[in-house]
Amino acid sequence: KLLDAHADGINYYLYKHPAVKSEVIKKYKPWYHLMWTDGSVSPTRTGGVKREDVYKMYGAGQIEIPTSTTYSYPKMNAIDENGGSNGFAIAPKHSKNGNALLYINPHVPFYFRSEMHMVSEEGLNAYGAVTWGQMFIYQGFNAHLGWMHTSSYADVADIFEEKIIQKNDSLFYEYEQQLFPVQIKKIPIKYYGDNNGENINTKIFTTYRTHHGPIMGSRNGKWISLRENNRSLHALLECWTRTKAKNLTEYKKALSLLANNSNNTVYADANGNIAYWHGNFMPKRNPKYDYTRPVDGSIKETDWQGIHPLNEIVQSINPENGWLQNCNATPFTVAGKNSPDANNYPAYMAPDGENARGLNAVRLLSQIDKLDLNDLIKLGYNKHLT
């Protein structure tokens, strides 16, 4: 029903406004929305695959059967950047009027997000930002609660080194000392050619995949596959149901769909609760292996072991200090000295480093007594450089 209504609404608008000329899509279909439901600036996680890896595999025009080599790259210890999203939640103990406060400050390109109010005759009443024509409020509030997203560096994708073997004219990969056929698919890609873009050419790529996922590239003579969660119907359901949540329990029920693979959440509600969740979709891995590097794809031990339930994800609900912050950085400083303890979680859950905005947020929030909205805005625009 939602997908049909979304397509019908856009098509009806184009019908009623003939002066608006669609550049590419002349008629919208319900399934189009499922192509992208995440909403963040960078929803697809690459697990460490680099552009040069893809070029070696698919761009050079020749694919070589890999040889056995090793590869490693340094683990991220800090984030060196000066822009991004900042979210603050203030509990009633630090509020002048006794209500929780939520500060939503998503640093995104100017045309990336539109601010709007969505109301329906079935009772929907939500205000906030959408991303490029999505049917749901991506971050904002309804009459009962508000939610803010910061793009996350939570580790939600991994790359696997595959052992490829050629027998006659067929390709196989080794897994648990058995051979399985490599799945092969031809994908046509259209692109503008000569004549100032008037000609459209087509290039056909022969692609490969194992049970881990697509072969994304070649590095040091080895094929590397990617495991991630890029297309998910549950992501759309989660984004929609949270707009209708009335309390913390209902919001956690939406989060329990475990489908948001790129966002942290800062939360506050009319009952005075504040909360933070570091990511939402988090695969279970074997702690014996370092997933910041490519892992051996030929053994079962490195495979994902399901998904962590919501109560196992790094989080903080109603911390004693009465405030929460996240600025695209580590979850282990979200509530100052009352933050979650990194020792209680697998290392792969939150490899995020700290950044200057996070340090400054903790410094400023540690000094607060009672705030109103204007005080909170001033705090968000503090010009102190860490």
Side-chain angles (χ1 to χ4, degrees):
K1 288 170 64 178
L2 288 171
L3 294 170
D4 286 342
H6 185 250
D8 287 348
I10 297 175
N11 290 325
Y12 183 69
Y13 177 85
L14 292 173
Y15 168 73
K16 295 292 288 185
H17 297 79
V20 177
K21 301 297 183 184
S22 181
E23 289 286 340
V24 179
I25 300 174
K26 305 303 179 184
K27 182 177 177 63
Y28 285 79
K29 299 178 182 179
W31 64 268
Y32 288 177
H33 197 96
L34 297 179
M35 292 299 291
W36 193 47
T37 60
D38 182 275
S40 187
V41 177
S42 53
T44 301
R45 297 310 191 195
T46 66
V49 176
K50 307 297 183 185
R51 184 167 61 177
E52 52 266 31
D53 301 330
V54 181
Y55 178 78
K56 287 178 183 177
M57 184 76 190
Y58 295 109
Q62 181 178 0
I63 295 177
E64 299 178 0
I65 302 301
T67 57
S68 205
T69 57
T70 58
Y71 175 83
S72 63
Y73 59 89
K75 184 175 181 179
M76 178 175 64
N77 292 316
I79 305 166
D80 182 17
E81 46 82 84
N82 60 6
S85 300
N86 311 301
F88 311 141
I90 309 298
K93 66 184 289 185
H94 289 305
S95 170
K96 288 180 180 178
N97 65 6
N99 296 325
L101 304 174
L102 182 65
Y103 182 85
I104 302 176
N105 177 222
H107 279 280
V108 293
F110 184 79
Y111 288 106
F112 189 76
R113 239 163 239 158
S114 305
E115 201 168 337
M116 61 184 61
H117 189 181
M118 288 181 67
V119 181
S120 81
E121 294 177 1
E122 292 189 3
L124 180 68
N125 185 13
Y127 184 93
V130 300
T131 303
W132 287 335
Q134 289 170 330
M135 67 171 68
F136 54 83
I137 297 294
Y138 164 71
Q139 56 186 344
F141 54 88
N142 59 30
H144 310 282
L145 53 83
W147 62 99
M148 188 272 172
H149 292 312
T150 57
S151 292
S152 178
Y153 293 92
D155 186 5
V156 297
D158 295 311
I159 53 179
F160 296 80
E161 291 180 338
E162 303 288 0
K163 291 185 178 179
I164 305 296
I165 296 171
Q166 185 171 20
K167 297 181 69 174
N168 299 322
D169 293 329
S170 300
L171 289 177
F172 299 85
Y173 68 98
E174 182 180 323
Y175 181 71
E176 288 295 291
Q177 299 181 341
Q178 297 184 57
L179 294 182
F180 296 88
V182 173
Q183 300 173 46
I184 299 176
K185 181 179 181 180
K186 294 185 181 297
I187 299 178
I189 301 293
K190 294 183 178 181
Y191 63 96
Y192 285 118
D194 301 328
N195 255 351
N196 296 321
E198 292 181 10
N199 297 334
I200 296 181
N201 299 332
T202 300
K203 182 176 178 62
I204 297 177
F205 292 88
T206 302
T207 65
Y208 308 85
R209 69 181 296 123
T210 70
H211 73 279
H212 294 121
I215 302 294
M216 292 296 294
S218 174
R219 180 185 294 166
N220 291 343
K222 281 200 172 183
W223 287 11
I224 50 178
S225 60
L226 172 67
R227 181 80 191 270
E228 57 128 9
N229 185 41
N230 188 29
R231 295 284 179 259
S232 171
L233 179 61
H234 277 174
L236 176 59
L237 298 178
E238 181 180 321
C239 290
W240 180 257
T241 54
R242 71 185 176 215
T243 66
K244 301 191 289 184
K246 294 182 174 63
N247 50 51
L248 180 60
T249 299
E250 292 186 9
Y251 194 87
K252 288 169 69 174
K253 184 177 179 181
L255 285 181
S256 294
L257 288 166
L258 306 176
N260 190 330
N261 71 334
S262 69
N263 296 137
N264 308 315
T265 300
V266 185
Y267 167 98
D269 66 30
N271 295 321
N273 296 300
I274 62 172
Y276 174 82
W277 294 271
H278 193 68
N280 175 249
F281 171 85
M282 180 56 61
K284 287 184 180 180
R285 287 99 158 182
N286 188 328
K288 287 170 49 180
Y289 297 93
D290 182 2
Y291 288 87
T292 65
R293 295 173 168 84
V295 293
D296 186 352
S298 69
I299 56 176
K300 189 176 182 179
E301 275 194 331
T302 59
D303 275 354
W304 287 1
Q305 302 165 4
I307 305 298
H308 284 281
L310 186 64
N311 64 346
E312 293 181 0
I313 290 172
V314 185
Q315 59 195 273
S316 178
I317 299 177
N318 294 324
E320 185 179 344
N321 56 301
W323 54 263
L324 287 163
Q325 65 80 30
N326 185 257
C327 302
N328 308 116
T330 174
F332 303 123
T333 60
V334 292
K337 64 181 181 180
N338 298 105
S339 300
D341 184 349
N343 295 318
N344 295 333
Y345 301 93
Y348 61 74
M349 267 197 178
D352 318 58
E354 185 57 281
N355 61 27
R357 289 177 289 117
L359 291 170
N360 200 32
V362 171
R363 183 186 70 85
L364 292 168
L365 289 166
S366 297
Q367 303 170 18
I368 65 173
D369 180 18
K370 299 285 188 180
L371 302 176
D372 59 21
L373 280 176
N374 289 328
D375 299 324
L376 189 56
I377 292 170
K378 289 178 182 178
L379 185 147
Y381 281 84
N382 183 280
K383 295 182 176 64
H384 176 89
L385 299 180
T386 300

